């Protein structure tokens, strides 16, 4: 062992222990209590690597992968150094090697080998590797459904290892019943774990489940606390929900200014519900005064992201000529999109357009179809209109409409959750 002062550099070759060689290399490369000297540090690093010192092999692999300082990027050398360490069980090298081999467009791209090394890292109980493997298998499961169970198993292992992203994704799967039976309690448990680890989307969903009493006892106070944590991390859905609470004094003291500020921030961050709500304020004059031009832009932003209520409101602006020229054709365009997302008022409006040939060619069968869908959701005017239109159809046409209704599948509307 050699005892050196912090500002001293040993003569190259005077150290024989690879750990000391590596320590000296890093000290010189990073300038730890000495002048930075990458070239000399690199020589010490190569000496340590020549003795198969795992951290040195990994470090050289990293340098060659990204082309650090005077080292030119060389994927082949990077893969070679990583593999030498990976074969000796070095976790970080196994993981980095898998990522490198799975990266399309590189000369060392080899998905089969990449998957092999990712599995090796995952088997060392590494949450990041387990999560990556789960996501990779989930992608491949689209062509091979036998991989669904494996993907879920690795995701669960990663979550149990405290991997924040895995905890959140597992919560989503239990919430939606994706690859597993829906279980709101399990969904809440995993969201809460991810939330406690600081994940903003999980914090938002935890708040949402507390507010709705889904998977956990309803508690508006705790919901607001989680919304606040998520909103502080710029989670747009939480900003919108929290803004509503302040705006109307629900579960907290009313603060109109703070509520509007949060909703406006959520809208700027792309939340379609917030954009639509601000649009409503600007068309009615509530809180903000009337400004059709701003409302139109807000509705348009939310509508283009697939938010059904914004699409419906946009269709009304074109129908009424609010800030734009009246255009029944454009009104039909947007109301149809909302109707396809199962928006009952939009379905009724589209049916009325089709029944009367406004902005679209008159088509009683189509009108009956959309009016029937709206009526099935309890839209009173649609029930009356549907019955009137049905009287004008033949029995064969009515049967065709009913068959279409039975096979209706709505286009998912953009939600405010992640």
């Amino acid at each position: 062992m050699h005892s050196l002062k912090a500002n001293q550099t040993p003569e190259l070759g005077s150290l024989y222990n690879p750990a000391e060689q590596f320590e000296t290399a890093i000290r010189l490369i990073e300038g730890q209590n000495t002048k930075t000297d990458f070239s000399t540090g690199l020589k010490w690093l190569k000496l340590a690597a020549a003795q198969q010192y795992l951290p040195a092999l990994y470090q050289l692999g990293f340098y060659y992968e990204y082309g650090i300082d005077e080292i030119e990027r060389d994927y082949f050398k990077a893969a070679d150094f990583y593999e030498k360490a990976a074969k000796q069980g070095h976790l970080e090298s196994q993981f980095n090697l898998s990522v490198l081999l799975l990266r399309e467009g590189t000369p060392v791209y080899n998905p089969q080998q990449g998957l092999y090394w990712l599995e090796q890292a995952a088997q060392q109980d590494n949450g990041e590797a387990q999560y990556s493997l789960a996501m990779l298998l989930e992608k491949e499961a689209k062509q091979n459904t036998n991989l669904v169970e494996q993907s879920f198993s690795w995701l669960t292992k990663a979550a149990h290892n405290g991997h924040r992203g895995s905890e959140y994704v597992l919560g989503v799967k239990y919430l939606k019943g994706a690859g597993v039976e829906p279980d709101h309690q399990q969904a809440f448990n995993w969201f809460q774990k991810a939330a406690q680890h600081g994940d903003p989307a999980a914090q938002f969903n935890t708040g949402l489940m507390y507010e709705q009493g889904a998977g956990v006892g309803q508690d508006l106070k705790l919901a607001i606390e989680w919304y606040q944590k998520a909103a502080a991390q710029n989670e747009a859905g939480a900003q919108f929900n929290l803004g509503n609470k302040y705006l109307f004094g629900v579960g907290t003291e009313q603060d109109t200014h703070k509520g509007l500020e949060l909703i406006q921030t959520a809208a700027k961050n792309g939340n379609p519900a917030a954009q639509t709500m601000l649009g409503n304020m600007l068309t009615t004059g509530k809180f903000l005064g009337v400004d059709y031009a701003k409302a139109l832009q807000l509705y348009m932003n939310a509508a283009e992201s697939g938010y059904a209520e914004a699409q419906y409101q946009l269709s009304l602006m074109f129908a009424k000529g609010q800030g734009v020229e009246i255009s029944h054709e454009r009104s039909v365009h947007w109301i149809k999109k909302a109707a396809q997302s199962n928006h009952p008022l939009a379905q009724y409006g589209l049916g009325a357009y089709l029944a009367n040939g406004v902005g679209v060619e008159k088509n009683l069968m189509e009108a009956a179809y959309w009016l029937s869908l709206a009526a099935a959701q309890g839209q009173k005017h649609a029930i009356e209109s549907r019955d009137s239109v049905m009287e004008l159809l033949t029995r064969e046409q009515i049967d065709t409409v009913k068959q279409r209704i039975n096979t209706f599948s709505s286009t998912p509307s953009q939600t405010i959750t992640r």
Side-chain angles (χ1 to χ4, degrees):
M1 297 292 289
H2 292 257
S3 177
L4 296 167
K5 294 181 180 179
N7 62 351
Q8 288 182 319
T9 301
E11 185 179 340
L12 192 64
S14 63
L15 300 180
Y16 305 103
N17 186 303
E20 290 184 1
Q21 292 170 345
F22 178 74
E23 182 182 343
T24 300
I26 297 304
R27 185 165 63 83
L28 289 166
I29 288 170
E30 297 182 356
Q32 297 175 1
N33 299 319
T34 188
K35 184 179 179 180
T36 301
D37 186 346
F38 189 90
S39 296
T40 305
L42 182 60
K43 291 175 183 177
W44 282 110
L45 191 62
K46 288 181 177 179
L47 279 176
Q51 296 192 61
Q52 299 299 301
Y53 188 63
L54 301 185
L57 291 169
Y58 167 77
Q59 199 69 35
L60 280 173
F62 183 85
Y63 286 162
Y64 278 109
E65 180 179 0
Y66 293 100
I68 305 296
D69 206 287
E70 63 191 55
I71 294 181
E72 290 187 15
R73 175 177 285 172
D74 189 324
Y75 288 123
F76 290 103
K77 286 185 177 179
D80 183 55
F81 279 114
Y82 281 148
E83 188 174 9
K84 286 177 180 176
K87 285 180 176 178
Q88 297 181 65
H90 190 256
L91 173 61
E92 290 81 1
S93 295
Q94 291 174 342
F95 184 74
N96 278 28
L97 179 58
S98 73
V99 173
L100 179 58
L101 295 175
L102 289 167
R103 192 183 303 159
E104 293 184 35
T106 66
V108 294
Y109 176 63
N110 187 329
Q112 186 175 358
Q113 276 295 301
L115 179 61
Y116 168 80
W117 285 114
L118 187 56
E119 287 178 340
Q120 297 304 303
Q123 286 169 1
Q124 292 204 55
D125 226 20
N126 179 265
E128 185 64 35
Q130 291 169 335
Y131 172 72
S132 297
L133 181 57
M135 294 299 98
L136 182 62
L137 292 173
E138 183 176 276
K139 184 179 179 181
E140 294 185 359
K142 293 176 181 177
Q143 282 75 42
N144 182 0
T145 55
N146 293 328
L147 297 176
V148 172
E149 189 175 337
Q150 287 185 47
S151 173
F152 190 83
S153 175
W154 282 114
L155 183 66
T156 304
K157 288 178 181 178
H160 280 295
N161 278 328
H163 186 269
R164 191 176 84 174
S166 300
E167 292 167 340
Y168 172 73
V169 173
L170 200 55
V172 172
K173 289 188 178 296
Y174 275 111
L175 184 67
K176 296 183 176 180
V180 66
E181 285 295 315
D183 188 328
H184 281 188
Q185 187 174 347
Q186 281 276 34
F188 173 79
N189 289 340
W190 287 113
F191 281 143
Q192 189 177 47
K193 287 180 184 295
Q196 289 168 341
H197 287 146
D199 186 274
Q203 290 171 342
F204 169 51
N205 282 3
T206 299
L208 201 61
M209 295 188 83
Y210 266 124
E211 181 174 0
Q212 297 172 348
V216 67
Q218 192 172 30
D219 191 323
L220 191 54
K221 182 181 178 182
L222 284 174
I224 290 173
E225 286 181 10
W226 282 111
Y227 286 153
Q228 289 171 332
K229 291 175 189 280
Q233 294 199 69
N234 227 26
E235 215 300 321
Q239 290 168 337
F240 173 67
N241 282 19
L242 186 59
N244 270 284
K245 300 295 179 289
Y246 283 119
L247 189 62
F248 299 108
V250 178
T252 186
E253 186 176 346
Q254 187 172 19
D255 188 331
T256 304
H257 175 75
K258 193 170 185 178
L260 286 173
E261 191 176 63
L262 279 163
I263 292 169
Q264 288 169 328
T265 300
K268 288 178 183 177
N269 286 332
N271 183 269
Q275 292 167 340
T276 304
M277 187 174 189
L278 286 178
N280 293 345
M281 292 179 188
L282 291 165
T283 55
T284 61
K286 188 173 184 179
F287 295 117
L288 297 175
V290 175
D291 190 328
Y292 291 134
K294 285 184 179 179
L296 180 70
Q297 188 58 57
L298 285 162
Y299 284 147
M300 189 68 74
N301 291 341
E304 287 177 346
S305 73
Y307 196 65
E309 179 61 24
Q311 293 167 341
Y312 175 68
Q313 293 297 335
L314 196 54
S315 75
L316 294 183
M317 291 195 80
F318 282 112
K320 297 174 182 178
Q322 293 177 320
V324 292
E325 289 187 15
I326 290 178
S327 173
H328 293 302
E329 290 76 15
R330 295 191 73 179
S331 180
V332 168
H333 170 79
W334 287 110
I335 208 168
K336 184 175 182 180
K337 287 184 178 293
Q340 289 170 336
S341 291
N342 213 24
H343 191 290
L345 283 173
Q347 291 171 339
Y348 165 64
L350 180 58
Y353 275 140
L354 287 161
N356 296 289
V358 177
V360 66
E361 186 177 347
K362 185 174 182 176
N363 187 324
L364 293 179
M365 283 184 67
E366 279 291 304
Y369 171 69
W370 288 109
L371 290 169
S372 296
L373 290 174
Q377 296 194 69
Q379 222 293 321
K380 293 181 180 179
H381 298 299
I383 295 172
E384 298 171 5
S385 299
R386 174 203 61 188
D387 294 343
S388 298
V389 172
M390 285 290 196
E391 290 178 0
L392 303 175
L393 302 180
T394 65
R395 170 49 55 189
E396 184 179 356
Q397 289 175 322
I398 291 172
D399 289 341
T400 299
V401 169
K402 287 182 178 179
Q403 287 176 2
R404 281 189 66 194
I405 292 169
N406 291 333
T407 59
F408 173 74
S409 178
S410 67
T411 302
S413 176
Q414 186 75 24
T415 63
I416 62 173
T417 59
R418 285 191 188 180

